Amino acid sequence: MKTIIITGGAGFIGSHVVREFVLKYPDYKIINLDALTYAGNLENLKDIETLPNYQFIKADIVDAKLMLDIFENYQPDGVIHLAAESHVDRSISNPLDFVMTNVIGTVNLLNAAKHIWKDDYTGKRFHHVSTDEVYGTLGNEGFFTENTAYDPHSPYSASKASSDHFVRAYQDTYEMPIVLTNCSNNYGPNHFPEKLIPLCIHNILNKKSLPIYGDGKFTRDWLYVKDHAKAIDLVFHEGKDGNSYNVGGFNEWKNIDLVKELCKQMDEKLNNPVGTSEQLITFVKDRPGHDLRYAIDATKINQELDWKPSVTFEEGLSKTIDWFLENKEWLENVTSGDYQNYYEKQYK
Ligand code: NAD
Ligand code: DAU
């Protein structure tokens, strides 16, 4: 029986990782440790919350003493660390929140793990879930590999880069067994509607404008969230100690093209006349420090661990829209209250 702490398990990606582990490994005890910030939502895990190998602990990773107590109490064999402030635009308004959770919170977890594992690292592993944004931006050509130098531009990516450096430093200094994954943009069910795809789905449903930053030619590499969860499972179990693995969708889209494709699929599913949703597209002021292009070279995880995306973008986007159409109550719940204030400030 292994005990695994998954941090940030009530968030978008974390909830898919928790579900993957709880269902696939009935003999593991999976502890979801999450502070339930605006982005954390236990509704995301309703279907598995009563299973005997799942437990939720509400806790803030910024609280160092609490992390030590929890690690001493539960003696985890592994940590899969996803808890983070994750939205670039919010990092531009509130950088310190990102330093606290993403940097200090990560170091608190590393210290708690070191404290209970230091005498014997056998069978132990700290998996840090990071992002391709740490590599900065690409021009029109090339890909990020695991050897690309870090060059973050937003407070979010700077905080994630810093946390990655700490994780590696704990291996070099204290011999802690660590692995990292650096993934591209995820999309799918439970995606919080501050991010491009669910924001546009929500706005189309409410006939609100679809805000495209700058000229819309910024490019992202999109991966269906369940394929990211599968990659994390593989790397956690089979990745080599001390290694990083880039994870990507082999699926680049310019924002404007992606939003047009989304509009097309939404019109079909809603029986709207062709072109209805596209009329909502509005070009707005650019994001400061906006990275032009991200694209992942996922050769290493493909060749070493035989991982590749299982879902095409057309299928993934269709499944995602269907999920949002079937879960309008979820969408209404997460967009009431604080979300309205955030939206007003961000898009006024
Ligand atoms: P999210 O914002 O949807 O969820 C974050 C979760 O962390 C929430 O449940 C929140 O309550 C929790 N959390 C935040 N601060 C906390 C704290 N101080 N203590 C405990 N819990 C806290 O994020 P996401 O999009 O699911 O991203 C998860 C991880 O994956 C992050 O580390 C992010 O950097 C990384 N990542 C995200 C993407 C993406 O496209 N979304 C891509 C690559 C990597
Ligand atoms: O690349 C991985 C990263 O992907 C993760 O590390 C982050 O946690 C995650 O939020 C995501 O970051 P992005 O900034 O790429 O995602 P976002 O959905 O915010 O924006 C995607 C692109 O769309 C980006 O070029 C900015 C643009 N955009 C975004 C919003 C919210 C718009 O044009 N309009 C918008 O309203």
Side-chain angles (χ1 to χ4, degrees):
M1 178 100 189
K2 272 185 183 242
T3 299
I4 315 286
I5 289 186
I6 300 182
T7 72
F12 165 46
I13 302 171
S15 61
H16 290 277
V17 176
V18 166
R19 180 176 298 97
E20 177 81 17
F21 274 69
V22 166
L23 296 178
K24 189 164 169 192
Y25 303 107
D27 55 344
Y28 285 8
K29 178 170 185 181
I30 302 300
I31 298 175
N32 171 12
L33 188 162
D34 196 298
L36 298 184
T37 67
Y38 77 92
N41 185 353
L42 290 177
E43 286 291 309
N44 294 345
L45 291 164
K46 267 261 162 281
D47 55 323
I48 55 121
E49 69 182 3
T50 55
L51 294 180
N53 63 334
Y54 171 74
Q55 184 177 348
F56 172 66
I57 299 178
K58 183 172 187 307
D60 187 339
I61 61 170
V62 176
D63 185 337
K65 165 85 174 55
L66 183 58
M67 289 308 108
L68 281 178
D69 290 349
I70 290 172
F71 275 60
E72 269 178 2
N73 257 336
Y74 291 92
Q75 295 289 322
D77 305 285
V79 177
I80 304 179
H81 174 36
L82 295 105
E85 288 294 337
S86 69
H87 191 37
V88 173
D89 293 326
R90 290 187 192 250
S91 82
I92 295 167
S93 341
N94 293 308
L96 203 52
D97 289 353
F98 287 68
V99 176
M100 295 309 290
T101 288
N102 299 1
V103 186
I104 310 284
T106 301
V107 177
N108 285 341
L109 291 169
L110 288 165
N111 281 340
K114 175 163 78 69
H115 177 69
I116 60 160
W117 295 344
K118 63 181 179 307
D119 296 327
D120 183 8
Y121 282 125
T122 319
K124 308 293 191 288
R125 176 155 269 188
F126 191 106
H127 181 150
H128 181 58
V129 177
S130 191
T131 169
D132 60 358
E133 299 205 10
V134 296
Y135 298 122
T137 187
L138 292 162
N140 291 325
E141 309 229 317
F143 295 89
F144 297 134
T145 73
E146 288 79 2
N147 298 322
T148 303
Y150 278 26
D151 183 22
H153 296 135
S154 72
Y156 163 69
S157 52
S159 69
K160 291 295 289 187
S162 171
S163 64
D164 290 15
H165 290 319
F166 270 103
V167 172
R168 290 201 182 91
Y170 271 60
Q171 161 151 89
D172 295 342
T173 309
Y174 308 111
E175 296 175 4
M176 184 180 284
I178 57 108
V179 281
L180 286 94
T181 38
N182 292 81
C183 188
S184 64
N185 286 63
N186 286 215
Y187 70 98
N190 311 96
H191 204 180
F192 194 81
E194 63 191 351
K195 310 281 168 62
L196 182 67
I197 290 180
L199 184 139
C200 288
I201 294 175
H202 181 233
N203 285 11
I204 290 171
L205 290 174
N206 290 285
K207 302 187 174 54
K208 285 174 74 172
S209 66
L210 309 179
I212 306 290
Y213 296 159
D215 62 5
K217 300 223 171 102
F218 299 84
T219 301
R220 299 291 182 264
D221 172 0
W222 294 91
L223 176 68
Y224 192 57
V225 62
K226 293 184 195 219
D227 280 327
H228 186 188
K230 291 200 172 97
I232 289 173
D233 175 21
L234 265 180
V235 172
F236 179 73
H237 287 101
E238 293 173 34
K240 288 192 201 127
D241 270 349
N243 275 232
S244 303
Y245 294 84
N246 280 356
V247 185
F250 304 95
N251 178 40
E252 288 183 52
W253 285 81
K254 287 192 172 40
N255 294 335
I256 185 65
D257 298 335
L258 176 116
V259 172
K260 284 184 178 167
E261 173 64 25
L262 177 68
C263 288
K264 190 171 113 245
Q265 285 209 21
M266 287 288 287
D267 282 348
E268 281 164 14
K269 288 181 194 281
L270 295 169
N271 292 321
N272 284 337
V274 178
T276 308
S277 301
E278 244 191 74
Q279 287 172 10
L280 298 170
I281 290 177
T282 311
F283 291 91
V284 301
K285 194 165 153 277
D286 203 1
R287 171 187 280 176
H290 199 170
D291 287 328
L292 177 68
R293 176 171 165 257
Y294 304 144
I296 283 278
D297 177 347
T299 307
K300 179 174 172 181
I301 188 170
N302 175 250
Q303 290 189 347
E304 281 188 20
L305 303 178
D306 199 22
W307 174 91
K308 63 174 184 328
S310 66
V311 176
T312 67
F313 187 62
E314 284 67 25
E315 284 163 1
L317 193 61
S318 173
K319 282 176 192 233
T320 302
I321 298 171
D322 289 346
W323 185 87
F324 277 96
L325 294 179
E326 283 155 20
N327 290 275
K328 286 194 181 138
E329 202 180 314
W330 181 95
L331 196 53
E332 266 166 41
N333 289 343
V334 300
T335 50
S336 59
D338 273 358
Y339 180 84
Q340 301 299 339
N341 300 332
Y342 161 78
Y343 198 89
E344 286 296 314
K345 274 199 200 128
Q346 179 63 23
Y347 296 100
K348 65 174 178 280

